[in-house]
Amino acid sequence: SSTTIAEISKADIQSALGASVAAWRAAVASDAIVVWAAGNDGGSNPGFLAALPAYWSDLLSGWVAAVSVDSSGVISSFSNRCGSAAAWCIAAPGEDVVSVYAGGGLVLASGTSFAAPVVSGAAAILQQMWPHLTNAQVLSVMFASANKTGIYADSSIYGQGLLDLEAATRPVGTTAIATGATVASGRSKATASLAVSSTLFLFFVESGLQAPGWEGPLLVLFFLAAAASAPAWGWAAGRYGAKPTLLAAM
């Protein structure tokens, strides 16, 4: 719709689309992610459906508005901008996209309706990689990893930035476990520590052990075992050096 959220009241939406709104709210509450095309009017704000969290804040955890960029990464001339939906909006390729033609064959097509499936596909990949994440956490990863440099820093146009699936699928951060081996001498102090990636451990549980759903309990046991063995690894690090000890631990 070309109607923006500022041009329609919550009561009017509820009256016309009450059952749909209830279904969307229930879906988001069940960890679904709903992606909307921002619209193709070249306006400064998306259509009202992409901006519904402005009226129903509980949709925020699973709602995304998608704007289109061209092959050079610049906002498409036809695309609505993120505007009032900047907090849950992201840019993705939607211009001259290879698509199928109704009569058969392939065709180049453009529109925010082609950017939205790119965002949907990215969300699906993240959910497949880390099924233990909630919809809000998936979107947090997607938005945090989006390119926000240069022109993409303008949230009124690009919202959370340009989708970067490669960055989104990287493990985010590590969990450090201090071994407790601190050697102090005069003014110098050296601390040996071992760092382990909880993301890699979760991947091992899901893929290696084929035990989806057990990630939480096994991760707790993993950290308890690491904490219990910390003094031994700390002693080894102090005696043989941090690098050899780390290699042995791995």
Side-chain angles (χ1 to χ4, degrees), residues 2-65:
S2 60
T3 303
T4 67
I5 198 73
E7 297 170 325
I8 187 170
S9 70
K10 182 177 181 179
D12 286 341
I13 297 174
Q14 183 64 44
S15 176
L17 298 171
S20 295
V21 171
W24 293 327
R25 295 177 74 185
V28 169
S30 298
D31 264 352
I33 293 176
V34 184
V35 182
W36 289 92
N40 304 315
D41 303 297
S44 57
N45 290 292
F48 76 91
L49 290 173
L52 285 185
Y55 286 149
W56 287 276
S57 59
D58 56 318
L59 292 173
L60 271 172
S61 60
W63 211 256
V64 188

Side-chain angles (χ1 to χ4, degrees), residues 53 60 63-65 82-90 139 143 155 158-160:
L60 271 172
W63 211 256
V64 188
C82 286
S84 59
W88 57 88
C89 184
I90 195 167
L139 293 186
F143 292 157
S155 61
Y158 299 99
Q160 296 302 301

Side-chain angles (χ1 to χ4, degrees), residues 202-224:
L202 291 172
F203 178 78
F204 172 73
V205 171
E206 295 163 9
S207 302
L209 297 182
Q210 296 292 310
W214 283 87
E215 297 91 341
L218 289 176
L219 187 61
V220 171
L221 290 175
F222 173 73
F223 286 131
L224 289 175

Side-chain angles (χ1 to χ4, degrees), residues 17-218:
L17 298 171
S20 295
V21 171
W24 293 327
R25 295 177 74 185
V28 169
S30 298
D31 264 352
I33 293 176
V34 184
V35 182
W36 289 92
N40 304 315
D41 303 297
S44 57
N45 290 292
F48 76 91
L49 290 173
L52 285 185
Y55 286 149
W56 287 276
S57 59
D58 56 318
L59 292 173
L60 271 172
S61 60
W63 211 256
V64 188
V67 299
S68 167
V69 295
D70 61 22
S71 59
S72 65
V74 177
I75 191 76
S76 299
S77 59
F78 58 78
S79 177
N80 287 346
R81 279 50 173 171
C82 286
S84 59
W88 57 88
C89 184
I90 195 167
E95 191 168 340
D96 291 334
V97 177
V98 177
S99 184
V100 294
Y101 187 63
L106 301 177
V107 65
L108 289 178
S110 299
T112 55
S113 291
F114 292 92
V118 174
V119 176
S120 297
I125 288 172
L126 294 177
Q127 287 180 314
Q128 182 181 40
M129 289 187 68
W130 297 297
H132 57 282
L133 296 183
T134 65
N135 54 359
Q137 290 170 329
V138 168
L139 293 186
S140 178
V141 170
M142 183 187 295
F143 292 157
S145 61
N147 185 350
K148 296 178 178 62
T149 62
I151 61 173
Y152 307 121
D154 189 343
S155 61
S156 67
I157 297 176
Y158 299 99
Q160 296 302 301
L162 178 66
L163 176 68
D164 187 342
L165 184 57
E166 192 279 327
T169 52
R170 295 179 198 152
V172 180
T174 58
T175 302
I177 301 177
T179 63
T182 300
V183 181
S185 177
R187 297 179 180 178
S188 65
K189 181 170 68 175
T191 301
S193 65
L194 301 177
V196 296
S197 170
S198 57
T199 302
L200 291 177
F201 180 77
L202 291 172
F203 178 78
F204 172 73
V205 171
E206 295 163 9
S207 302
L209 297 182
Q210 296 292 310
W214 283 87
E215 297 91 341
L218 289 176

